[in-house]
Short mmCIF file of all heavy atoms in Angstrom, two decimals:
data_model
loop_
_atom_site.label_atom_id
_atom_site.label_comp_id
_atom_site.label_asym_id
_atom_site.label_seq_id
_atom_site.Cartn_x
_atom_site.Cartn_y
_atom_site.Cartn_z
N ILE X 20 -0.31 9.17 7.01
CA ILE X 20 -1.45 8.55 7.67
C ILE X 20 -1.26 7.05 7.52
O ILE X 20 -1.13 6.53 6.41
CB ILE X 20 -2.77 9.02 7.04
CG1 ILE X 20 -2.94 10.52 7.26
CG2 ILE X 20 -3.95 8.25 7.63
CD1 ILE X 20 -4.17 11.12 6.64
N THR X 21 -1.20 6.35 8.65
CA THR X 21 -0.79 4.95 8.65
C THR X 21 -1.93 3.94 8.57
O THR X 21 -1.72 2.81 8.15
CB THR X 21 0.00 4.62 9.93
OG1 THR X 21 -0.89 4.74 11.05
CG2 THR X 21 1.19 5.55 10.10
N GLY X 22 -3.13 4.32 9.04
CA GLY X 22 -4.22 3.36 9.11
C GLY X 22 -4.11 2.44 10.32
O GLY X 22 -4.89 1.50 10.46
N ARG X 23 -3.17 2.73 11.20
CA ARG X 23 -2.98 1.93 12.41
C ARG X 23 -3.61 2.64 13.60
O ARG X 23 -3.34 3.81 13.85
CB ARG X 23 -1.48 1.74 12.68
CG ARG X 23 -0.79 0.87 11.67
CD ARG X 23 0.70 0.77 11.89
NE ARG X 23 1.07 0.83 13.30
CZ ARG X 23 2.31 1.09 13.70
NH1 ARG X 23 3.28 1.32 12.83
NH2 ARG X 23 2.60 1.13 14.99
N ALA X 24 -4.42 1.92 14.35
CA ALA X 24 -5.11 2.51 15.50
C ALA X 24 -4.11 2.97 16.57
O ALA X 24 -4.34 3.99 17.23
CB ALA X 24 -6.09 1.51 16.10
N ASP X 25 -3.00 2.26 16.73
CA ASP X 25 -2.03 2.60 17.77
C ASP X 25 -1.12 3.76 17.37
O ASP X 25 -0.47 4.36 18.23
CB ASP X 25 -1.19 1.38 18.14
CG ASP X 25 -0.34 0.87 16.99
OD1 ASP X 25 -0.76 1.01 15.81
OD2 ASP X 25 0.74 0.32 17.25
N ARG X 26 -1.06 4.08 16.09
CA ARG X 26 -0.19 5.16 15.62
C ARG X 26 -0.77 5.72 14.31
O ARG X 26 -0.26 5.43 13.23
CB ARG X 26 1.22 4.63 15.42
CG ARG X 26 2.25 5.71 15.33
CD ARG X 26 3.63 5.14 15.49
NE ARG X 26 4.58 6.24 15.34
CZ ARG X 26 5.83 6.07 15.03
NH1 ARG X 26 6.31 4.87 14.87
NH2 ARG X 26 6.62 7.10 14.91
N PRO X 27 -1.83 6.54 14.41
CA PRO X 27 -2.55 6.99 13.22
C PRO X 27 -1.72 7.82 12.24
O PRO X 27 -1.92 7.74 11.04
CB PRO X 27 -3.70 7.82 13.77
CG PRO X 27 -3.77 7.53 15.22
CD PRO X 27 -2.44 7.00 15.64
N VAL X 28 -0.80 8.65 12.78
CA VAL X 28 0.07 9.45 11.92
C VAL X 28 1.51 9.36 12.43
O VAL X 28 1.74 9.22 13.63
CB VAL X 28 -0.35 10.94 11.84
CG1 VAL X 28 -1.72 11.10 11.23
CG2 VAL X 28 -0.30 11.62 13.19
N ILE X 29 2.44 9.45 11.49
CA ILE X 29 3.85 9.52 11.87
C ILE X 29 4.47 10.72 11.17
O ILE X 29 4.06 11.09 10.07
CB ILE X 29 4.63 8.23 11.54
CG1 ILE X 29 4.48 7.85 10.06
CG2 ILE X 29 4.19 7.09 12.43
CD1 ILE X 29 5.36 6.68 9.65
N GLY X 30 5.41 11.34 11.85
CA GLY X 30 6.13 12.46 11.26
C GLY X 30 5.99 13.76 12.04
O GLY X 30 6.79 14.66 11.87
N SER X 31 4.99 13.86 12.91
CA SER X 31 4.79 15.06 13.71
C SER X 31 4.10 14.69 15.01
O SER X 31 2.98 14.20 15.01
CB SER X 31 3.92 16.08 12.95
OG SER X 31 3.46 17.09 13.83
N HIS X 32 4.80 14.95 16.11
CA HIS X 32 4.21 14.66 17.43
C HIS X 32 2.98 15.54 17.66
O HIS X 32 2.00 15.11 18.25
CB HIS X 32 5.22 14.90 18.55
CG HIS X 32 6.35 13.93 18.54
ND1 HIS X 32 6.19 12.60 18.83
CD2 HIS X 32 7.66 14.09 18.24
CE1 HIS X 32 7.35 11.98 18.72
NE2 HIS X 32 8.26 12.87 18.37
N ARG X 33 3.03 16.76 17.15
CA ARG X 33 1.92 17.69 17.36
C ARG X 33 0.68 17.25 16.58
O ARG X 33 -0.43 17.29 17.11
CB ARG X 33 2.36 19.09 16.93
CG ARG X 33 1.41 20.16 17.33
CD ARG X 33 2.02 21.53 17.13
NE ARG X 33 1.03 22.56 17.30
CZ ARG X 33 1.22 23.83 17.01
NH1 ARG X 33 2.38 24.22 16.53
NH2 ARG X 33 0.26 24.70 17.19
N ALA X 34 0.85 16.82 15.34
CA ALA X 34 -0.28 16.32 14.56
C ALA X 34 -0.84 15.04 15.19
O ALA X 34 -2.05 14.85 15.24
CB ALA X 34 0.13 16.08 13.11
N ALA X 35 0.04 14.19 15.68
CA ALA X 35 -0.40 12.96 16.33
C ALA X 35 -1.22 13.28 17.58
O ALA X 35 -2.25 12.66 17.84
CB ALA X 35 0.81 12.08 16.69
N ALA X 36 -0.77 14.27 18.35
CA ALA X 36 -1.49 14.67 19.56
C ALA X 36 -2.87 15.25 19.20
O ALA X 36 -3.86 15.01 19.90
CB ALA X 36 -0.68 15.68 20.35
N LEU X 37 -2.94 15.99 18.09
CA LEU X 37 -4.20 16.56 17.63
C LEU X 37 -5.20 15.46 17.30
O LEU X 37 -6.36 15.51 17.71
CB LEU X 37 -3.97 17.44 16.40
CG LEU X 37 -5.21 18.07 15.78
CD1 LEU X 37 -5.80 19.12 16.72
CD2 LEU X 37 -4.87 18.67 14.44
N VAL X 38 -4.75 14.44 16.57
CA VAL X 38 -5.62 13.32 16.21
C VAL X 38 -6.07 12.59 17.48
O VAL X 38 -7.25 12.28 17.65
CB VAL X 38 -4.92 12.36 15.23
CG1 VAL X 38 -5.74 11.09 15.02
CG2 VAL X 38 -4.67 13.06 13.89
N GLU X 39 -5.14 12.36 18.40
CA GLU X 39 -5.48 11.67 19.66
C GLU X 39 -6.51 12.48 20.46
O GLU X 39 -7.44 11.92 21.03
CB GLU X 39 -4.23 11.45 20.49
CG GLU X 39 -4.49 10.66 21.75
CD GLU X 39 -3.23 10.35 22.53
OE1 GLU X 39 -2.14 10.29 21.93
OE2 GLU X 39 -3.34 10.16 23.76
N LEU X 40 -6.35 13.80 20.47
CA LEU X 40 -7.26 14.67 21.21
C LEU X 40 -8.70 14.54 20.72
O LEU X 40 -9.64 14.60 21.50
CB LEU X 40 -6.79 16.12 21.07
CG LEU X 40 -7.66 17.19 21.70
CD1 LEU X 40 -7.63 17.08 23.22
CD2 LEU X 40 -7.21 18.57 21.25
N HIS X 41 -8.86 14.32 19.42
CA HIS X 41 -10.20 14.29 18.84
C HIS X 41 -10.76 12.89 18.64
O HIS X 41 -11.87 12.75 18.11
CB HIS X 41 -10.21 15.08 17.52
CG HIS X 41 -10.00 16.54 17.75
ND1 HIS X 41 -10.98 17.36 18.26
CD2 HIS X 41 -8.90 17.33 17.60
CE1 HIS X 41 -10.51 18.59 18.39
NE2 HIS X 41 -9.25 18.60 17.99
N GLN X 42 -10.04 11.86 19.06
CA GLN X 42 -10.55 10.49 18.91
C GLN X 42 -11.88 10.36 19.65
O GLN X 42 -12.04 10.87 20.75
CB GLN X 42 -9.54 9.47 19.45
CG GLN X 42 -8.34 9.39 18.53
CD GLN X 42 -7.83 7.99 18.34
OE1 GLN X 42 -8.60 7.04 18.33
NE2 GLN X 42 -6.54 7.88 18.17
N GLY X 43 -12.82 9.69 19.01
CA GLY X 43 -14.14 9.48 19.60
C GLY X 43 -15.13 10.59 19.30
O GLY X 43 -16.33 10.43 19.54
N GLU X 44 -14.65 11.73 18.79
CA GLU X 44 -15.54 12.83 18.42
C GLU X 44 -16.07 12.59 17.01
O GLU X 44 -15.56 11.77 16.26
CB GLU X 44 -14.79 14.16 18.47
CG GLU X 44 -14.34 14.55 19.87
CD GLU X 44 -13.59 15.86 19.88
OE1 GLU X 44 -13.49 16.53 18.83
OE2 GLU X 44 -13.10 16.23 20.96
N THR X 45 -17.08 13.35 16.65
CA THR X 45 -17.64 13.28 15.30
C THR X 45 -16.99 14.35 14.44
O THR X 45 -16.81 15.49 14.89
CB THR X 45 -19.17 13.49 15.35
OG1 THR X 45 -19.73 12.47 16.19
CG2 THR X 45 -19.78 13.39 13.97
N VAL X 46 -16.65 13.98 13.21
CA VAL X 46 -16.03 14.92 12.27
C VAL X 46 -16.64 14.70 10.90
O VAL X 46 -17.02 13.58 10.54
CB VAL X 46 -14.49 14.73 12.25
CG1 VAL X 46 -14.09 13.40 11.68
CG2 VAL X 46 -13.81 15.85 11.50
N ALA X 47 -16.76 15.78 10.13
CA ALA X 47 -17.28 15.69 8.76
C ALA X 47 -16.18 15.22 7.84
O ALA X 47 -15.05 15.72 7.89
CB ALA X 47 -17.82 17.04 8.30
N LEU X 48 -16.48 14.24 6.98
CA LEU X 48 -15.48 13.73 6.03
C LEU X 48 -15.25 14.69 4.87
O LEU X 48 -14.23 14.62 4.19
CB LEU X 48 -15.91 12.36 5.52
CG LEU X 48 -15.93 11.25 6.57
CD1 LEU X 48 -16.48 9.96 5.98
CD2 LEU X 48 -14.53 11.03 7.14
N SER X 49 -16.21 15.57 4.63
CA SER X 49 -16.08 16.60 3.60
C SER X 49 -16.89 17.80 4.06
O SER X 49 -17.67 17.69 5.02
CB SER X 49 -16.58 16.07 2.26
OG SER X 49 -17.98 15.96 2.26
N PRO X 50 -16.76 18.94 3.39
CA PRO X 50 -17.52 20.12 3.84
C PRO X 50 -19.04 19.92 3.87
O PRO X 50 -19.72 20.56 4.65
CB PRO X 50 -17.13 21.18 2.80
CG PRO X 50 -15.79 20.76 2.33
CD PRO X 50 -15.81 19.25 2.33
N THR X 51 -19.54 19.01 3.06
CA THR X 51 -20.98 18.77 3.04
C THR X 51 -21.39 17.47 3.71
O THR X 51 -22.53 17.05 3.62
CB THR X 51 -21.49 18.75 1.58
OG1 THR X 51 -20.79 17.75 0.85
CG2 THR X 51 -21.29 20.11 0.92
N GLY X 52 -20.44 16.80 4.38
CA GLY X 52 -20.74 15.54 5.06
C GLY X 52 -20.38 14.37 4.21
O GLY X 52 -19.80 14.55 3.17
N PRO X 53 -20.61 13.19 4.61
CA PRO X 53 -21.21 12.73 5.86
C PRO X 53 -20.25 12.87 7.03
O PRO X 53 -19.09 13.25 6.84
CB PRO X 53 -21.50 11.26 5.57
CG PRO X 53 -20.39 10.85 4.67
CD PRO X 53 -20.14 12.07 3.80
N THR X 54 -20.73 12.55 8.22
CA THR X 54 -19.89 12.60 9.40
C THR X 54 -19.54 11.19 9.84
O THR X 54 -20.23 10.22 9.48
CB THR X 54 -20.60 13.33 10.56
OG1 THR X 54 -21.79 12.63 10.89
CG2 THR X 54 -20.90 14.77 10.21
N THR X 55 -18.48 11.09 10.61
CA THR X 55 -18.04 9.82 11.16
C THR X 55 -17.35 10.07 12.49
O THR X 55 -17.00 11.21 12.81
CB THR X 55 -17.10 9.08 10.19
OG1 THR X 55 -16.90 7.73 10.64
CG2 THR X 55 -15.75 9.76 10.08
N THR X 56 -17.16 9.03 13.25
CA THR X 56 -16.43 9.12 14.51
C THR X 56 -14.94 8.96 14.24
O THR X 56 -14.53 8.06 13.50
CB THR X 56 -16.92 8.03 15.49
OG1 THR X 56 -18.33 8.19 15.68
CG2 THR X 56 -16.20 8.13 16.82
N VAL X 57 -14.15 9.83 14.83
CA VAL X 57 -12.70 9.78 14.64
C VAL X 57 -12.14 8.54 15.34
O VAL X 57 -12.38 8.32 16.52
CB VAL X 57 -12.02 11.05 15.19
CG1 VAL X 57 -10.51 10.96 15.04
CG2 VAL X 57 -12.57 12.29 14.52
N ALA X 58 -11.40 7.75 14.56
CA ALA X 58 -10.74 6.55 15.08
C ALA X 58 -9.36 6.46 14.43
O ALA X 58 -9.23 6.71 13.23
CB ALA X 58 -11.55 5.30 14.75
N GLY X 59 -8.36 6.13 15.21
CA GLY X 59 -6.99 6.07 14.71
C GLY X 59 -6.81 5.15 13.53
O GLY X 59 -6.00 5.42 12.64
N GLY X 60 -7.55 4.06 13.48
CA GLY X 60 -7.42 3.10 12.39
C GLY X 60 -8.22 3.47 11.16
O GLY X 60 -8.14 2.80 10.13
#
Side-chain angles (χ1 to χ4, degrees):
I20 297 177
T21 66
R23 291 176 33 197
D25 64 329
R26 197 166 178 201
V28 298
I29 55 174
S31 166
H32 293 291
R33 191 169 170 189
L37 178 68
V38 171
E39 184 176 334
L40 176 68
H41 292 285
Q42 289 220 34
E44 295 180 4
T45 301
V46 66
L48 294 175
S49 72
T51 58
T54 61
T55 191
T56 302
V57 178

